[in-house]
Amino acid sequence: MSAQELSGSTALVTGASRGFGRGIAIALAGVGANVVGVARDRARLEELRAQLGDAFTPVAADVADPVVAGELTDIYHPRVLVLAAGAAPLSRPLHRHTWETFSSNWNTDVRQVFHWSREALLRPLDEGSVVIAFSSGAALRGSPLSGGYAGSKATIRFVAAYAADESERAGLGIRFVSVLPQLTPATELGAAAVAAYARRAGTDLATFTENLGPPLTPEHAGKAILDLIETPAPGEGAEAYLLTSGGLRPVP
Ligand SMILES: NC(=O)c1ccc[n+]([C@@H]2O[C@H](COP(=O)([O-])OP(=O)(O)OC[C@H]3O[C@@H](n4cnc5c(N)ncnc54)[C@H](OP(=O)(O)O)[C@@H]3O)[C@@H](O)[C@H]2O)c1
């Protein structure tokens, strides 16, 4: 999608109240998109509305709710759908999880990507629309302190690839992409995980953070998502990209 097409079109971003989703909402509004931001924290969404003005429409809702996915898809009919919301996993080793804490990312992150991808295909969104689902670098390596987090994020990558296949088979022209960010202390979710892994390694937080390299910020995420939307899809293969402070790289 060209920058010109993006300007004036509707982009719906989940997880817009903070972190990557907020950075992406700001970047999209910056290029003239009408951004609908969804998260549960109404006050934080209103703060962003105060910052971005009419370019931003806040919607306080639970993105894992299928009715929310259906209603908001019908109302806003987005050209760009960024599924950046995600539950913060409880940072504990396996045996200190309960099934409920172990499965929290399945019940929010996977559920969200399943419901919204389904709505995008069923409605369907217009030809040329883009759906971007947030997976994680943990999907490639595991995350031993985060219960079912890494497995849920691997499933999100599969769901995006399955949806891309269904779009192609039905000739819908909807692009489905997954993005796998590196661990970063620059968001609330990431900061809690970094602190837990530093404690487990017996390393002080500053040293551990420094060893992770230049941090991926919400601003980097915003720029990367614009790049992704504006770059034509490669001819073949499922689209999945690692996201670091250096930008996007296709997952081998
Ligand atoms: N930060 C990292 O190191 C990292 C690395 C790899 C992947 N990721 C992924 O990147 C995505 C964004 O993470 P982040 O680091 O930006 O996290 P964050 O700062 O904790 O933000 C998470 C966002 O998700 C929203 N959210 C959570 N549950 C929700 C629900 N049920 N309904 C609606 N909104 C919900 C939160 O809003 P409310 O609380 O207001 O609802 C918030 O806006 C997540 O999918 C995460 O797994 C992050």
Side-chain angles (χ1 to χ4, degrees):
M1 190 184 301
S2 68
Q4 227 169 8
E5 282 176 294
L6 192 51
S7 173
S9 66
T10 299
L12 192 150
V13 181
T14 70
S17 62
R18 59 176 192 267
F20 293 152
R22 187 173 186 279
I24 293 162
I26 292 170
L28 284 163
V31 295
N34 299 312
V35 180
V36 180
V38 191
R40 293 161 305 176
D41 189 330
R42 191 181 298 275
R44 286 205 192 190
L45 289 175
E46 288 298 342
E47 277 171 31
L48 193 53
R49 160 82 185 186
Q51 182 182 331
L52 299 178
D54 289 346
F56 184 76
T57 305
V59 178
D62 181 348
V63 297
D65 181 339
V67 175
V68 167
E71 281 185 352
L72 296 184
T73 304
D74 284 351
I75 294 170
Y76 293 107
H77 202 78
R79 264 319 279 287
V80 172
L81 176 56
V82 183
L83 303 172
L90 184 63
S91 296
R92 284 184 179 176
L94 179 70
H95 56 293
R96 298 193 60 225
H97 273 278
T98 64
W99 177 249
E100 284 64 35
T101 64
F102 182 90
S103 58
S104 70
N105 295 96
W106 290 84
N107 285 324
T108 296
D109 307 26
V110 179
R111 206 184 273 244
Q112 165 194 221
V113 173
F114 169 72
H115 289 314
W116 289 82
S117 299
R118 206 171 154 265
E119 291 296 336
L121 290 166
L122 284 175
R123 197 172 205 284
L125 296 184
D126 291 345
E127 188 175 353
S129 298
V130 187
V131 179
I132 300 169
F134 268 66
S135 172
S136 169
L140 304 177
R141 304 180 296 278
S143 56
L145 286 187
S146 312
Y149 178 80
S152 78
K153 292 303 199 181
T155 299
I156 285 173
R157 186 180 163 198
F158 282 126
V159 171
Y162 299 160
D165 189 36
E166 296 303 334
S167 168
E168 197 179 326
R169 289 168 69 93
L172 299 178
I174 306 169
R175 185 177 170 199
F176 286 87
V177 185
S178 57
V179 170
L180 286 64
Q182 72 177 122
L183 179 62
T184 174
T187 70
E188 285 183 24
L189 183 155
V194 168
Y197 281 104
R199 273 195 307 276
R200 184 174 171 91
T203 313
D204 71 89
L205 185 57
T207 309
F208 189 88
T209 305
E210 201 178 320
N211 290 342
L212 288 175
L216 169 67
T217 64
E219 292 72 28
H220 289 128
K223 183 182 176 310
I225 294 308
L226 291 185
D227 289 346
L228 189 56
I229 294 167
E230 290 171 10
T231 308
E236 54 189 48
E239 279 194 86
Y241 297 90
L242 290 167
L243 173 59
T244 69
S245 56
L248 294 162
R249 235 175 332 128
V251 180

